[in-house]
Amino acid sequence: MSSIDLRLLRYFVVVAEEGHLTKAAQRIGIQQPPLSQQIRALEKELDVTLFRRLPRGMELTESGHALLVDARIILDQVNTTIEDVRRISQGELGRIAVGFTESASLHPFIPAVIRAFREVSPGVTLAVEESNTSDLVEALRQNRVDVAFIRSPIGNAAGLKMETMLVEEMIVALPATHPLAQNKRRKSLPLTALAEESFILNRRPSGPGLYDTVIAACRVAGFSPKVKLEARKNLSTLSLVAAGLGISIVPASIRHVKLEEVVYLNVDHAPGLRAPLHLAYRDIPQSGAVERMIIEARKLAKTLG
């Protein structure tokens, strides 16, 4: 099978367009004899005559005309491929899969990062996946997602990097009919005021970090919370609170979820009641798109810090 040097194809196209070796050599920036040798080398490689040598120039043969059409297509495709590869390396093209937990997605930081990324990398295809922390960590390990915004710390972090983007307060969600929610001027309450309440929390496998944080904070306050119900997602938890089945402690960004039947109050005297938001990714050299996503997340996190 013949293997044609792309440089020879480029020389051939220039000679065909100029119709003259001297002019083609000047355009390429080489001497005429070496260019003539290169054209003959191409003809020898293909075992065809590409040009008829005339007293004042060169004229394409039928084979030469056929090659010119395909040579231009080939060279254009090569140039396009090279440009695309460079743009992928720079994060201007490609694909990125972003994962996030449900509670993380409710924080305005996440859409802000995605919006900033879209502005700098509009040519990158973006795929998103919402799941719990454990599943997202596994998705990272299996290359199904490239970066993941997760709430809770991960246990076995081998092969992964995790950066804390922000830490927010946690608040209590009460049924609007609850006695503690009747005082419209009340903005906060001590954690100890919830000692006798029925707690509704996200299931621990879905978000072990936040679950354990709530339990630990209550114990520091001097009581063990009575966890009566567990839900898979924050929105399900809020629905159960709205139904009057108990109270819950959730990240402060959940305030963005407006329900008439739910009242949100700050929690006093609970310094350990914090909800971190982490960015996790594989500890390997990253693609240009992933690097850009990480950079945009860091930049936004810095403005919040």
Side-chain angles (χ1 to χ4, degrees), residues 101 103 132-135 137 141 148-158 160-164 166-167 170 204-214 272 274-280:
T101 63
S103 66
N132 61 54
T133 293
S134 298
D135 288 346
V137 168
R141 297 190 193 283
F149 293 93
I150 59 177
R151 279 293 190 181
S152 50
I154 53 181
N156 180 12
L160 299 179
K161 283 188 176 181
M162 186 168 65
E163 299 182 25
T164 301
L166 56 89
V167 179
M170 296 190 76
R204 191 178 184 281
S206 299
L210 296 188
Y211 187 103
D212 292 349
T213 295
V214 173
R274 301 289 185 270
L277 179 60
H278 307 289
L279 175 62

Side-chain angles (χ1 to χ4, degrees), residues 25-46:
Q26 292 173 347
R27 178 173 156 186
I28 295 170
I30 64 174
Q31 295 298 315
Q32 178 180 328
L35 178 58
S36 179
Q37 292 173 4
Q38 298 287 7
I39 296 299
R40 292 190 182 281
L42 178 60
E43 290 179 319
K44 183 178 180 180
E45 175 69 29
L46 298 177

